[in-house]
Amino acid sequence: MEFGWTAKASALHKRRMLNSFALAGALAVSTPGTAGGIAAVDLAGDRVTLRFDEAVDGASAFLLDGPQRIALDIHGAQASARGLGGGESAIAAVRQGQLNDETARVVLDLSSPVVPADARFAADGKSLSFSLKSVSDAGFRSAIGKGRSIIEAPDTMAARPPRRVHSITVPIPPAAKGVALPPIEGPRDASRPLVVIDAGHGGHDPGALNKDLARREKDVTLAIARAIRDQLVRTGRVRVALTRDDDRFLVLQERYGIARRLSADLFISIHADAAENIEAQGATVYTLSETASDREAARLAARENKADIINGVNLGGQSGDVSSILIDLTQRESMNISSSFAQLLQREASPYVPFRSAYHRFASLMVLKAPDIPSVLFETGYISNAADAEFLSSREGQGKIARGVARAIEVHFARKLAMRGSDVGG
Ligand code: ZN
């Protein structure tokens, strides 16, 4: 049935964009006849089999390092929102996403270095299998150097039913648009400023580790984010939302994407990274800049920005070289506000939290790229340092950090209000 346009086209388009993720998932599940949908990835011993709803056109495989992954591009296939399992043998997790109209990408996150061997399609073109061959780290790196290997699909065109003319292909938007928005807590008054707190890392990305003390950055950041939220809710002056309130993985764009979709006024990403020098301790606040302020900042950005590549799926549309992204005027203004917040954070939180002497650093951090929202990345301390790790993992330490952050937030918005007031008065 065809209806006339009763709503504004742009509103309809927007609504459709919002629905498309859920819709795509539903379509893939409810109509198994969709061309080449990825039905399952079976792991049996060292043999991996990808199953498709229909014959696909071919595939290619390549390896990625840091962390080690096997990526498979399946041509003529449609990814779905289905989870594909993992957690067995050398494969920690299996993910899928749509690279472009024609190609779905399946990424196998590896827990130990393996490379695919004797990959082949079944005669009907509906499954692709290969075995996993254990190699050394050096062997894995040299296999990366060999580049992409092409896996030819059998010619099943003759046997294949023609694709339905009416079939609708709904592109799956990048995951950044797909995540559900978190609840907003605090006062119901929507005129109150909204702060989004982002617990760094999560899910299959543990962040930095302190093996001696069995501490993982992703747990520490979540506990601190929750403590900050609770503190802000208690003081009741601002609204607050967490990008994640459990152990889940979000790509970097999803993190600031949530802040943008909620029209947040401030974004704080919480981290507790490792330093090469285990003596290094204290907190640091990072704000966005095209160039890093020093070598350590550059290294941190390189490490943190890799979190996105783990996803392996969104990269199609996203340049890995984040430093080359042009920064427009809105972003410059946000950057200035971010910088003043960084200084405020140190001033207000230093009675509670030890800071490094060079406490404000700059780096091209992807998670700070929301052009219109002042954003800081708060390195609350080094998980690699025993004293810091204890402080960050303790309720007392988390409470102190929360108090310091909440005070800075309060002063920040009080200043903004005062400035607005003087604008009106003048
Ligand atoms: Zn981190």
Side-chain angles (χ1 to χ4, degrees), residues 202-241:
H204 68 258
D205 171 20
L209 303 170
N210 184 323
K211 288 193 173 121
D212 296 338
L213 298 169
R215 301 283 184 217
R216 299 180 298 188
E217 185 182 2
K218 68 170 182 177
D219 304 321
V220 167
T221 58
L222 180 57
I224 294 170
R226 284 174 174 158
I228 295 170
R229 173 200 54 198
D230 295 347
Q231 181 70 27
L232 291 174
V233 168
R234 260 196 301 279
T235 49
R237 289 173 200 259
V238 296
R239 297 175 300 142
V240 58

Side-chain angles (χ1 to χ4, degrees), residues 200-201 207-208 217 221 270-273 300 304 379:
H201 309 279
E217 185 182 2
T221 58
I270 304 292
H271 287 258
D273 279 287
L300 175 91
E304 292 293 348
E379 284 286 354

